[in-house]
Amino acid sequence: MNHHRKLVKADCDQLLNRFQQTESVRFEAFSQIWRDMKFEQIFYGAAKHNNRLFTRLVLDTAYEFLLPPFTFQIRVGGLYLLYALFHSQTANPLEKIRLALKDWEEIQKFETDSLEAQHYDVVYILKKLLHIKAFVFTAMPRLLAFDRKKKSQMSPVCESFMERPSAPQTLINNNLLEELSNVHGLYENLKSSVCPQSDSSLSLSHPDLVQTLRETVLDFYKWQKDKFQSSESSRDEDSGEGPSTQQESSRRADLLASIKSRAYEQAAQASKSRRHRAVEVDVTKPEQSSTPSARYERIKQKTLRYRATKNIQVSGDMWKDALSHTRITCLTARDNEKPPRCFKKFKWKTEDT
Amino acid sequence: MAARDSKSNIPEFESIDINTKPFHIDSFRAEWLKRLHPAQYSYEQPDEDEFDVHFAQEMGLDAGTMSELTSVCSTDSLLCHPKDEQPDTDLVPEDATLITLIQRKKKQDRKLTQKCPKNRHEHYADELERVTIERKPEAAENLVPEGDVLLTINVYYPAVFDKFNYTRPHMTLLMTGSHTLAELRDAICCVSDLQVCGEFSNNPDIVPDFVSKDHYKSAFFYFEGVFYNDMRFPECRDLSITTIEWAKSRNFPPFTQANMEDTRLVDLKVKVGFPYLYCHQGDCEHLVIITDVRLMHRNDCLDKKTYPLLIHKDRIDTHKCSVCHVYIGRWHTSNDQFAPSDPCLFCDKCFRMLHYDTQGNKLGNFLAYPYIDRGAFN
């Protein structure tokens, strides 16, 4: 099943890439791409006993796109993707979308943002999925079975899907600046009341601290916006079809408004907590895996079996017997009976392009 | 603070994609119920037309916009093929462009060249699923209440097995939150429970009926620093006391004890995805991992009587009789002058034919023990 994970992720990335290029959050644009790629065929031909597992895998992969830190457009694409996959699946009864408790707040916020920006199709689809009970309310998004060896399976996330980091904006927000200027003013007053002359040795703080901070943050925001927009405009030249310019500009205004409004709230807490979590994993990793990894990373000596087979030469039938396992069923079998057929397993080799 | 308490009941990853921090299951359930409207987790069939009307009212949309919205967002717009020409979903289409399908096509082509018939175990598994999915109870009191919690528990092979110890779950059970740990214990089948002790070469017909399960009834579960002992029967002893006293003498954090039959699954404080222990027969230890905790859904099996529900059972190869290679070995002999190897397995018929004459007298020297194969539960 895990060999499918990368393939499914690649397909989803491709779909969302195309959706991102349309620069629209309308469901029509999405369904056009869906039909074009014939994405519902992803369920065809799955072996019967694997069907449910595969559907589970596909829905879990698509679910990740619904959450931060992806951009608003990608999250909308993720929602549409979930809706489409849920309805195209071939499992019966339908496999549900797992919604974890920790993600509920994010989803609610996403819904309110879409409502404020008047993206009725987004809200309609989200509410519809909740209404038809497509969600199942769980503790965690995926089934966890303490798979420590499978860490390397996290496939790389598309950079262009990610939300622009807005850590400076969150840190230096309006409230903080206001408080800083108040405190600064009080400090200056106290200082001047204590020692009337401005002594150079007592000037320990920047006189224009608040102003400088604010300007730096605005510069950063402008630089980010320019960088983002320049890459967008280069893509504009490539994309042939697109919505009308008025719709586009209003849609872009919506996007930027939602991004900006969330930049000054706690949206970047996701990235903060990610950083925090990343640190946690690093701390626990050496403790958990110190003994096994120390053992595995030692220079591997060739096994005794390999060395023995290489060095010992015995001729003829005895050598053949010595190499193969003694099968207890063959102790009483006739001499001219063939050993049982072995089926070769299919190798899911992917060619990395 | 109330805010901080509620935060600790929201499961978070302790190690990403591996396991979570410990949380109390009933509080987790309360957190979800606090956030949801009862209609969102009820068992009622959802009504689509009513939803459209309600949505239009809530958003203040007129009929024209609403109808446009429904037609644009309907699932018909997702159909890649016209309605009357639905292709066969069992085959990969010829002109597939998705990467997943290209790989799958290769396997399908490969499979057509080899014949792999479906074996009976897979038939049993399918049948089991077909019977239990979406099952509604006949009597109302057997209905699992709405908003109850469903846990998926993996029980692994005992530590003494040489294969698949910690990677493949031996069985996967579904349980509701209102079940007790004692019920979970009863649902776990282990081969070591069926062992019969003793040497029976002289009297093969009088193999006793009682098995190890009846002799050694004690067992315990270990979750998050608490040992849950089985104290239902007077013969049960507290197996965990040894570990607790050993730990006390070595400055470990203190462990506590509780009774298995009094603890419901919702009362537990556990980490999802983290291995815990089930020990029975004194030394037969199984890893237990709770892989999933979620609210009940209308498509789940709603009959209380079917739980604990087995949804997956691993198949392990059985050792057959050395003579006929057909029947599973039931007798294990050693020091046997008739056998080609020491020890050797025989099925009942071959064993009697080889070692006893028609009157039932023992021929030759050997020691015979009743043998329970590892795959006895297949």
Side-chain angles (χ1 to χ4, degrees):
Chain A
M1 219 12 77
N2 293 310
H3 39 247
H4 281 299
R5 200 187 290 264
K6 281 192 195 148
L7 305 174
V8 168
K9 182 105 196 333
D11 282 328
C12 290
D13 279 344
Q14 196 189 13
L15 179 84
L16 286 174
N17 228 333
R18 288 178 64 170
F19 184 63
Q20 195 180 36
Q21 281 167 8
T22 65
E23 295 187 11
S24 156
V25 286
R26 298 274 78 85
F27 186 69
E28 290 170 283
F30 178 84
S31 61
Q32 178 65 40
I33 303 173
W34 171 273
R35 279 195 302 269
D36 197 42
M37 284 180 78
K38 294 202 190 143
F39 213 84
E40 70 176 12
Q41 291 177 347
I42 204 169
F43 293 109
Y44 291 179
K48 288 256 165 55
H49 52 275
N50 275 338
N51 198 9
R52 290 205 83 89
L53 283 174
F54 180 70
T55 315
R56 177 81 275 129
L57 173 74
V58 168
L59 286 175
D60 283 345
T61 317
Y63 175 74
E64 282 169 19
F65 291 109
L66 190 55
L67 306 170
F70 292 108
T71 63
F72 183 76
Q73 192 192 17
I74 295 296
R75 292 176 74 181
V76 170
L79 176 68
Y80 292 157
L81 184 63
L82 275 174
Y83 179 68
L85 286 170
F86 181 75
H87 283 284
S88 329
Q89 59 176 299
T90 51
N92 188 18
L94 297 172
E95 193 70 33
K96 311 288 179 291
I97 305 170
R98 294 173 62 94
L99 182 58
L101 183 59
K102 60 184 175 72
D103 302 326
W104 179 252
E105 311 288 340
E106 308 285 348
I107 306 279
Q108 293 295 93
K109 219 186 297 174
F110 177 68
E111 192 182 330
T112 26
D113 283 345
S114 324
L115 198 54
E116 275 165 27
Q118 298 198 333
H119 295 305
Y120 289 122
D121 42 5
V122 179
V123 183
Y124 179 78
I125 286 183
L126 184 55
K127 281 197 182 302
K128 183 117 191 251
L129 281 175
L130 276 168
H131 180 78
I132 57 176
K133 302 198 172 116
F135 287 112
V136 87
F137 305 107
T138 69
M140 280 290 144
R142 284 200 188 158
L143 293 180
L144 299 170
F146 208 64
D147 278 333
R148 281 190 296 162
K149 289 183 202 155
K150 299 192 177 162
K151 264 186 284 196
S152 56
Q153 298 225 335
M154 306 288 280
S155 34
V157 179
C158 219
E159 272 307 317
S160 61
F161 291 174
M162 303 289 273
E163 175 82 52
R164 293 172 294 154
S166 49
Q169 286 97 308
T170 356
L171 187 59
I172 314 288
N173 57 17
N174 283 332
N175 287 339
L176 183 78
L177 286 175
E178 227 181 274
E179 273 191 53
L180 259 181
S181 62
N182 284 339
V183 170
H184 191 75
L186 281 173
Y187 170 73
E188 290 293 326
N189 289 339
L190 265 178
K191 200 165 72 163
S192 56
S193 65
V194 164
C195 45
Q197 244 144 343
S198 49
D199 198 347
S200 57
S201 66
L202 281 179
S203 56
L204 295 164
S205 68
H206 280 285
D208 296 322
L209 174 67
V210 179
Q211 196 60 26
T212 335
L213 267 176
R214 192 168 165 277
E215 274 168 13
T216 323
V217 174
L218 276 176
D219 282 339
F220 172 76
Y221 178 67
K222 267 192 223 142
W223 167 82
Q224 222 183 26
K225 199 169 72 165
D226 287 335
K227 188 165 164 229
F228 186 62
Q229 274 189 346
S230 66
S231 62
E232 246 188 36
S233 57
S234 65
R235 266 187 279 127
D236 264 353
E237 286 155 12
D238 300 337
S239 64
E241 56 173 330
S244 69
T245 47
Q246 194 198 30
Q247 214 183 349
E248 192 188 335
S249 59
S250 69
R251 202 248 4 131
R252 199 181 284 180
D254 290 335
L255 258 185
L256 291 177
S258 66
I259 291 169
K260 231 197 280 187
S261 63
R262 277 178 302 117
Y264 284 87
E265 288 166 21
Q266 34 178 350
Q269 269 199 0
S271 58
K272 256 200 214 164
S273 58
R274 255 192 312 143
R275 263 185 276 132
H276 168 62
R277 256 189 258 148
V279 169
E280 252 189 9
V281 171
D282 285 338
V283 164
T284 55
K285 228 179 25 167
E287 286 160 19
Q288 275 178 5
S289 60
S290 59
T291 12
S293 67
R295 265 188 252 131
Y296 295 158
E297 274 156 11
R298 255 190 287 151
I299 303 165
K300 279 195 192 143
Q301 210 185 14
K302 292 275 189 275
T303 61
L304 179 63
R305 186 182 174 184
Y306 175 80
R307 281 183 278 140
T309 49
K310 207 171 158 199
N311 296 326
I312 298 179
Q313 295 294 336
V314 175
S315 58
D317 284 333
M318 234 199 317
W319 183 236
K320 247 195 278 177
D321 281 342
L323 277 183
S324 58
H325 292 296
T326 313
R327 280 202 211 93
I328 199 148
T329 53
C330 295
L331 285 177
T332 50
R334 290 195 289 265
D335 275 328
N336 52 359
E337 258 180 29
K338 281 186 289 188
R341 250 190 332 157
C342 52
F343 293 100
K344 262 196 267 187
K345 268 191 109 168
F346 181 75
K347 282 209 192 99
W348 291 94
K349 260 193 297 201
T350 49
E351 289 111 28
D352 289 320
T353 48
Chain B
M1 283 195 305
R4 198 150 47 102
D5 282 344
S6 66
K7 270 240 150 110
S8 65
N9 287 322
I10 300 178
E12 292 269 346
F13 280 119
E14 189 179 53
S15 310
I16 307 229
D17 272 354
I18 299 178
N19 64 283
T20 65
K21 297 194 183 129
F23 64 96
H24 188 244
I25 295 185
D26 210 14
S27 317
F28 156 77
R29 175 171 162 262
E31 290 291 327
W32 257 128
L33 296 184
K34 217 167 39 173
R35 287 163 171 75
L36 295 175
H37 191 266
Q40 287 173 321
Y41 57 85
S42 75
Y43 296 154
E44 276 168 34
Q45 173 77 21
D47 185 356
E48 298 211 7
D49 299 325
E50 188 195 294
F51 169 74
D52 288 342
V53 167
H54 190 71
F55 185 79
Q57 279 176 352
E58 211 184 305
M59 301 291 144
L61 299 174
D62 58 58
T65 327
M66 195 62 215
S67 65
E68 196 191 318
L69 191 62
T70 39
S71 66
V72 163
C73 300
S74 80
T75 50
D76 290 340
S77 65
L78 296 169
L79 289 175
C80 303
H81 308 271
K83 254 191 172 146
D84 45 357
E85 274 180 27
Q86 286 296 325
D88 184 9
T89 54
D90 286 338
L91 294 173
V92 182
E94 285 300 322
D95 53 348
T97 48
L98 298 173
I99 307 176
T100 323
L101 291 176
I102 295 173
Q103 270 289 314
R104 203 181 272 161
K105 187 120 184 28
K106 284 192 201 159
K107 180 165 188 190
Q108 195 174 291
D109 292 336
R110 226 322 254 291
K111 209 169 169 183
L112 290 173
T113 58
Q114 287 182 349
K115 218 172 55 141
C116 307
K118 202 172 177 185
N119 64 19
R120 62 190 168 97
H121 296 285
E122 283 172 20
H123 281 299
Y124 292 158
D126 286 344
E127 186 61 29
L128 179 67
E129 193 182 324
R130 196 181 65 83
V131 165
T132 56
I133 206 100
E134 278 198 37
R135 188 186 154 124
K136 306 263 185 312
E138 279 122 28
E141 62 260 14
N142 285 336
L143 183 72
V144 179
E146 288 172 6
D148 202 3
V149 170
L150 190 71
L151 293 106
T152 314
I153 303 177
N154 274 2
V155 181
Y156 290 77
Y157 283 110
V160 294
F161 271 28
D162 47 355
K163 266 184 160 187
F164 308 134
N165 260 343
Y166 309 120
T167 48
R168 271 205 223 168
H170 180 39
M171 47 175 30
T172 308
L173 293 167
L174 283 179
M175 296 199 70
T176 62
S178 38
H179 282 97
T180 59
L181 283 176
E183 284 162 2
L184 174 62
R185 188 226 163 156
D186 292 336
I188 298 178
C189 7
C190 174
V191 186
S192 58
D193 278 337
L194 300 176
Q195 301 286 0
V196 178
C197 313
E199 205 270 309
F200 293 101
S201 56
N202 295 315
N203 42 357
D205 299 317
I206 327 177
V207 174
D209 274 335
F210 46 89
V211 291
S212 302
K213 190 169 188 171
D214 303 320
H215 277 303
Y216 311 113
K217 293 207 178 95
S218 325
F220 69 82
F221 278 102
Y222 171 77
F223 289 111
E224 284 299 307
V226 186
F227 286 92
Y228 298 93
N229 292 299
D230 192 354
M231 289 302 189
R232 287 176 287 178
F233 307 102
E235 303 95 49
C236 291
R237 282 192 286 164
D238 184 2
L239 295 178
S240 57
I241 199 80
T242 337
T243 321
I244 293 177
E245 282 173 4
W246 176 87
K248 257 191 232 168
S249 65
R250 279 167 175 72
N251 285 337
F252 270 75
F255 296 122
T256 44
Q257 289 179 309
N259 273 349
M260 213 191 265
E261 56 273 16
D262 300 329
T263 319
R264 294 177 310 154
L265 286 171
V266 285
D267 300 328
L268 289 177
K269 185 167 187 190
V270 284
K271 299 185 199 179
V272 170
F274 195 75
Y276 293 110
L277 192 68
Y278 166 61
C279 179
H280 65 134
Q281 304 273 325
D283 63 351
C284 184
E285 296 173 352
H286 299 253
L287 278 184
V288 170
I289 298 187
I290 300 180
T291 52
D292 182 26
V293 180
R294 63 175 175 84
L295 294 183
M296 289 293 286
H297 188 273
R298 61 184 293 269
N299 285 136
D300 294 326
C301 177
L302 298 176
D303 190 353
K304 235 193 253 187
K305 287 207 167 151
T306 53
Y307 288 102
L309 182 62
L310 188 67
I311 50 174
H312 169 74
K313 186 135 215 198
D314 198 41
R315 214 170 15 106
I316 197 164
D317 287 336
T318 52
H319 291 133
K320 306 282 193 292
C321 168
S322 336
V323 178
C324 57
H325 308 318
V326 175
Y327 293 107
I328 296 178
R330 282 200 41 211
W331 287 97
H332 173 283
T333 56
S334 52
N335 285 346
D336 192 353
Q337 64 191 92
F338 300 113
S341 66
D342 188 351
C344 198
L345 282 178
F346 294 97
C347 68
D348 202 43
K349 269 198 166 148
C350 299
F351 175 69
R352 285 173 203 279
M353 275 202 290
L354 187 59
H355 296 94
Y356 299 91
D357 61 17
T358 40
Q359 278 87 37
N361 298 320
K362 182 173 165 180
L363 307 167
N365 284 327
F366 59 92
L367 298 168
Y369 307 93
Y371 176 76
I372 308 290
D373 192 85
R374 293 183 306 184
F377 285 114
N378 279 355

